[in-house]
Amino acid sequence: MSEVDPDDLKAFWQETRNLQARHPGQNVGMGLHVMKATFKPGANLPAVWYRSGMIQILNQVAQEQLAPWVKDEEVSDAVFRTMATIPMEWVGHTDRDGLPFDVEEFFRQLREDGVQNG
């Protein structure tokens, strides 16, 4: 799975949250034209979408571990920087145990990012 620009990942995450806030309780999606307008030219939209989904999953299955980087439901920039670049597999339609990236390595890099970017 390709790396993405952390700014694109953050923009997608925020736009998705805004859509959910405007349509509570509904299953809403973002059209391709909105996505293209949200990202920098040349952004890998499927990779941004996929990596954003991994943040959502972590927010559910590793909430306590992720908590230091989430304040008032706002995800820190360090999470976007780390998720944007961590090596990741495309799951597709295959069965697998666990997430398609090394979760321990993700949190190690996240802690390291916090030390570097204080």
Side-chain angles (χ1 to χ4, degrees):
M1 173 64 50
S2 299
E3 291 185 7
V4 300
D5 185 306
D7 293 336
D8 287 335
L9 184 54
K10 182 178 180 178
F12 180 78
W13 179 265
Q14 290 174 330
E15 189 60 35
T16 301
R17 292 289 178 221
N18 291 341
L19 270 173
Q20 290 171 342
R22 288 193 303 267
H23 304 281
Q26 297 178 26
N27 190 6
V28 294
M30 191 182 319
L32 190 57
H33 65 284
V34 173
M35 290 175 72
K36 284 183 178 179
T38 302
F39 304 133
K40 296 175 184 164
N44 183 334
L45 304 182
V48 170
W49 170 82
Y50 191 75
R51 288 176 179 271
S52 177
M54 293 303 119
I55 296 172
Q56 175 112 12
I57 290 170
L58 279 180
N59 214 7
Q60 294 170 357
V61 301
Q63 197 169 25
E64 286 184 25
Q65 282 180 278
L66 198 58
W69 295 277
V70 179
K71 302 286 188 244
D72 299 323
E73 297 186 22
E74 290 293 321
V75 176
S76 101
D77 287 350
V79 172
F80 297 113
R81 284 191 298 267
T82 305
M83 188 59 75
T85 59
I86 193 155
M88 188 172 298
E89 296 175 30
W90 174 256
V91 175
H93 298 289
T94 60
D95 289 338
R96 69 174 284 125
D97 291 329
L99 295 173
F101 61 98
D102 185 333
V103 175
E104 288 181 27
E105 178 63 13
F106 173 81
F107 282 107
R108 189 195 66 71
Q109 288 182 25
L110 195 54
R111 286 188 297 274
E112 190 174 287
D113 181 273
V115 170
Q116 293 173 357
N117 292 299

